[in-house]
Amino acid sequence: MAEPVYIQIADDLREQITSGRLRPGDDVPTEADLAARWSTSRGPIRNALASLRNEGLIETTRGRPARVVARKADQAVDVSVPFTRWARELGVTPGARTQQVSLRRAGPAKAAALGIDEDDMVVTVVRLRLLDDRPTMLERLCYIESVGRLLLDADPDRISITEFLGSKGHPIVKLQHEIDAVAADEEDAELLRVPAGSPILRLTRTSRGPDGRIFEASEDRYLSDVVRFTVAASGISDDGHYMRAVG
């Protein structure tokens, strides 16, 4: 049995988008053009466009043709995957431009996040992360001194910090994520190349080692038009709540 016309149309347009013949910003052929090409009514055309819109491949606006959009990269937040590995799994090239590595006193906020005294020393790292040379995320990392000092002799532009510290005996055994949205501050705006005040997705993380102690407190700020956060659930519990995936 032949596939419905709207599926054939959607498959054809999807292939044009994924192959690069239709690129982000390009207009999709109009409903009239597609109807003439496929010898069909506008109903199947609209169903095909709705499918592509639901997949995040196009956007539709009243009064103008549908337009191809840059597909967002999914970032799972119920698991811990280093940015470098995540980027390679997406099929893109990861990059890093370190802005700052410093040894300083913790102060109230960082001490509270790490569970240490305000006068204790910490190592902080500010690093711009890129996907295929496109600014994507700004990291603000903070480590207790005994762990962070390992980074003082490393090149943060050339390593995955998570994997590097894991190889030095400081793997992430347990972590906690919090997600919210914030307005881009001046540093965000300059490095991520967006206007100040633009919406930014913020992922705040605390990481614990094998001894159960927090050794890292970080804040990652992602461009909301490049990345979207996802959470997988493994089923529904007896009380009707979704259960977190385990893996």
Side-chain angles (χ1 to χ4, degrees):
M1 180 181 296
E3 290 184 326
V5 174
Y6 84 90
I7 293 180
Q8 298 178 48
I9 298 170
D11 287 347
D12 180 68
L13 291 173
R14 187 184 300 107
E15 192 280 328
Q16 292 186 56
I17 293 170
T18 56
S19 69
R21 284 185 286 154
L22 284 174
R23 303 177 61 83
D26 288 348
D27 286 342
V28 174
T30 65
E31 290 183 10
D33 289 339
L34 290 170
R37 176 181 174 186
W38 289 89
S39 300
T40 187
S41 65
R42 295 201 179 192
I45 304 300
R46 290 169 180 169
N47 288 338
L49 295 178
S51 296
L52 298 179
R53 184 178 63 245
N54 291 337
E55 294 173 27
L57 295 176
I58 65 171
E59 63 181 8
T60 55
T61 304
R62 185 181 297 275
R64 62 155 296 158
R67 184 174 62 178
V68 179
V69 297
R71 194 165 193 179
K72 294 186 179 183
D74 290 342
Q75 168 72 289
V77 294
D78 53 342
V79 294
S80 177
V81 179
F83 184 96
T84 299
R85 190 193 313 165
W86 169 67
R88 289 173 177 157
E89 289 174 354
L90 289 173
V92 298
T93 302
R97 295 177 188 164
T98 302
Q99 309 299 309
Q100 177 190 109
V101 179
S102 63
L103 177 67
R104 62 179 64 183
R105 296 195 184 280
K110 291 180 174 59
L114 291 168
I116 59 178
D117 292 333
E118 294 182 17
D119 288 334
D120 287 347
M121 302 300 289
V122 295
V123 173
T124 61
V125 180
V126 178
R127 197 166 58 154
L128 179 66
R129 305 311 307 271
L130 306 99
L131 296 178
D132 283 344
D133 290 325
R134 179 182 182 184
T136 299
M137 184 259 282
L138 183 63
E139 293 177 320
R140 294 181 174 100
L141 311 172
C142 184
Y143 297 92
I144 60 173
E145 182 179 5
S146 59
V147 175
R149 276 190 176 275
L150 296 170
L151 299 174
L152 299 181
D153 295 323
D155 181 357
D157 282 1
R158 302 179 63 85
I159 62 170
S160 161
I161 290 179
T162 299
E163 293 177 346
F164 173 77
L165 292 179
S167 72
K168 299 295 184 180
H170 300 285
I172 297 175
V173 173
K174 184 177 181 180
L175 57 80
Q176 179 175 337
H177 284 152
E178 295 183 7
I179 306 168
D180 62 359
V182 296
D185 61 23
E186 291 184 3
E187 185 176 41
D188 298 332
E190 178 183 356
L191 295 175
L192 293 172
R193 302 176 189 170
V194 296
S198 297
I200 297 289
L201 292 175
R202 178 171 65 177
L203 182 67
T204 304
R205 180 178 68 249
T206 53
S207 304
R208 297 177 184 269
D211 60 0
R213 292 182 57 199
I214 296 174
F215 69 86
E216 175 201 37
S218 68
E219 182 181 292
D220 301 339
R221 296 191 172 203
Y222 290 83
L223 288 179
S224 58
D225 63 343
V226 177
V227 175
R228 66 179 179 182
F229 294 136
T230 62
V231 178
S234 58
I236 302 177
S237 63
D238 292 339
D239 61 2
H241 291 85
Y242 283 99
M243 296 182 290
R244 186 176 178 180
V246 177

